[in-house]
Amino acid sequence: MASTATSSPLTLSSVLSQQELNAIITFSSSISFKPQPLLFNPTKTLSLFPLVLQCRDRKSSSSSSSSSSIGHWGVSSDGSFSKSAFVVAAVAEVAEAVEEQEGKDEAGGGGVAVAAPPTKPKNGKAALPLKRDRMRSKRFLEIQQLRENKKEYDLRTAISLLKQTSKTKFVETAEAHFRLNIDPKYNDQQLRATVNLPKGTGQMVRVAVLTQGEKFDEAKNSGADLVGGEDLIEQIKGGFMDFDKLISTPDMMPKVASLGRILGPRGLMPNPKAGTVTVNIPQAIEEFKKGKVEYRADKTGIVHLPFGKVDFSEDDLIENVLAAVKSVEANKPSGAKGVYWKSAHVCSSMGPSIRLNIREMLDYKLPSKV
């Protein structure tokens, strides 16, 4: 009965006797090693180079005598070593080392882990979640079905839909958003102005006045909620911000300049373009109390402004939004080229936007009052 022999890995140290190893050492002077790189995985920490053996042929008297004189594992009786036997042993050593290294890589998670480069944090609109990832409330999903997406509505229909989409427990603000073909980073394409809404904003505006001298009593008699001079400036530096509009006379502006870092980010810094730096204090107070609104284009060229409350009548909202449209059209920057109006939308504070037909909006005529 034949027995099956178990194959063992071939190594120089395990298969050669001391005599055979001595023969290899003696023969080593005639062997040169030439390293050549293999195809390797960059994640592995061990690079192996197969040994290409270049042996100088020994002169033998005859091929039959040399083959017959080779003993076990290629060592002849005279102590010479066979090239083929040494190559087989060297290749076996390399194969065993490769298998051992692959086993370590699999057990350790695939070699040395390469750290991924840190990603740059996103800012602004890029940091917002995509539309498909946003979670909308049940209320918003219901009122969103009242209007068709990307459809352009005439002004009266859009205002009617705006009132229908207001389903919150508080009175929402009606907002207008105009995308203009301007780039505010250029000085001749910046837009900043004010508009007097005929029907007001529906909000109580608290007006503070910075003045001195005879204008002090004039501001108090004109209905200003707060009047002061240097004492009011010190209060603002201390954190007092209990007002919605700050009006100043020109002679107070050098002292107001120190409040730029406090009032600037809040949009409360007096400015001649906004009508908050003037010598006619009573007129400025009256206009802001009645519904004067300041607007400006943001860095993307979009104007955002409120034009009333959703509990206004449709005619009042239409009259207010038309006043805003005419003001934006009249204050067109000198550097604006091509088509000025790109898109226009109206919406409530917590409702979906409703796209307007720009041509119909610009040509809309209010019904004549009898």
Side-chain angles (χ1 to χ4, degrees):
M1 184 176 180
S3 60
T4 303
T6 304
S7 60
S8 60
L10 178 62
T11 61
L12 294 178
S13 59
S14 61
V15 301
L16 298 181
S17 63
Q18 185 64 34
Q19 180 182 1
E20 293 170 342
L21 289 174
N22 294 335
I24 294 175
I25 294 173
T26 305
F27 188 70
S28 61
S29 60
S30 63
I31 302 176
S32 61
F33 296 92
K34 180 181 178 182
Q36 291 185 356
L38 274 177
L39 295 177
F40 63 95
N41 190 338
T43 61
K44 297 185 181 302
T45 58
L46 177 65
S47 298
L48 298 175
F49 297 85
L51 301 177
V52 179
L53 304 179
Q54 299 176 351
C55 303
R56 291 192 298 270
D57 295 333
R58 292 171 176 265
K59 293 182 180 180
S60 57
S61 58
S62 62
S63 60
S64 60
S65 60
S66 61
S67 60
S68 60
S69 61
I70 297 176
H72 188 60
W73 298 113
V75 180
S76 61
S77 58
D78 58 355
S80 61
F81 186 71
S82 172
K83 294 185 292 183
S84 60
F86 189 81
V87 169
V88 170
V91 171
E93 289 276 6
V94 172
E96 182 181 4
V98 171
E99 291 178 0
E100 181 180 357
Q101 182 64 28
E102 288 180 352
K104 292 180 179 179
D105 292 343
E106 292 177 359
V112 179
V114 180
T119 58
K120 184 178 180 180
K122 297 180 179 180
N123 299 321
K125 291 186 177 180
L128 296 175
L130 300 177
K131 286 187 177 180
R132 64 173 179 268
D133 299 329
R134 296 176 186 171
M135 298 297 294
R136 295 293 191 182
S137 64
K138 186 182 297 185
R139 177 199 64 84
F140 189 89
L141 295 176
E142 290 177 356
I143 62 177
Q144 197 175 24
Q145 299 176 359
L146 298 176
R147 61 100 169 101
E148 297 182 21
N149 193 21
K150 296 184 180 180
K151 179 181 177 179
E152 295 184 349
Y153 292 89
D154 61 273
L155 186 57
R156 184 166 290 275
T157 304
I159 296 298
S160 177
L161 287 174
L162 183 148
K163 294 175 68 67
Q164 294 178 30
T165 57
S166 178
K167 301 289 186 180
T168 57
K169 297 180 180 180
F170 62 93
V171 180
E172 300 181 41
T173 300
E175 303 174 358
H177 306 275
F178 305 134
R179 182 182 292 274
L180 307 176
N181 188 23
I182 58 176
D183 190 353
K185 71 179 181 180
Y186 300 105
N187 293 332
D188 60 348
Q189 297 188 37
Q190 294 179 357
L191 175 62
R192 182 173 183 177
T194 57
V195 56
N196 292 317
L197 299 178
K199 303 301 180 181
T201 60
Q203 298 176 347
M204 296 296 296
V205 181
R206 297 166 297 177
V207 179
V209 178
L210 283 171
T211 186
Q212 58 186 357
E214 60 183 10
K215 296 288 185 180
F216 196 91
D217 294 333
E218 184 180 1
K220 278 188 174 182
N221 298 330
S222 301
D225 298 283
L226 186 64
V227 181
E230 296 183 3
D231 56 340
L232 181 57
I233 293 177
E234 295 299 327
Q235 292 181 22
I236 295 174
K237 288 182 179 179
F240 178 79
M241 303 294 295
D242 194 15
F243 52 85
D244 300 315
K245 289 292 178 181
L246 181 62
I247 301 175
S248 175
T249 53
D251 58 343
M252 290 292 295
M253 286 307 295
K255 300 177 182 179
V256 179
S258 61
L259 301 176
R261 292 186 177 180
I262 301 175
L263 300 177
R266 295 173 172 83
L268 297 175
M269 188 68 180
N271 191 299
K273 293 183 178 180
T276 50
V277 178
T278 178
V279 295
N280 194 347
I281 298 295
Q283 181 182 355
I285 295 174
E286 183 182 2
E287 289 177 347
F288 282 109
K289 289 284 188 179
K290 285 185 176 181
K292 188 175 184 179
V293 176
E294 178 188 0
Y295 64 88
R296 64 188 304 175
D298 62 12
K299 63 180 181 180
T300 59
I302 303 178
V303 175
H304 313 272
L305 59 89
F307 62 94
K309 294 289 187 178
V310 293
D311 58 352
F312 284 15
S313 65
E314 291 186 9
D315 293 336
D316 290 347
L317 290 175
I318 291 174
E319 190 173 351
N320 279 353
V321 74
L322 286 179
V325 170
K326 291 179 180 179
S327 177
V328 173
E329 183 73 19
N331 292 279
K332 179 179 178 179
S334 59
K337 306 298 182 183
V339 179
Y340 183 48
W341 294 84
K342 297 180 71 174
S343 66
H345 295 78
V346 294
C347 66
S348 59
S349 298
M350 305 293 290
S353 61
I354 302 168
R355 192 181 184 97
L356 297 177
N357 187 313
I358 295 177
R359 180 52 52 194
E360 191 274 341
M361 177 189 69
L362 296 176
D363 296 340
Y364 190 91
K365 299 291 181 63
L366 288 171
S368 58
K369 297 180 181 180
V370 180

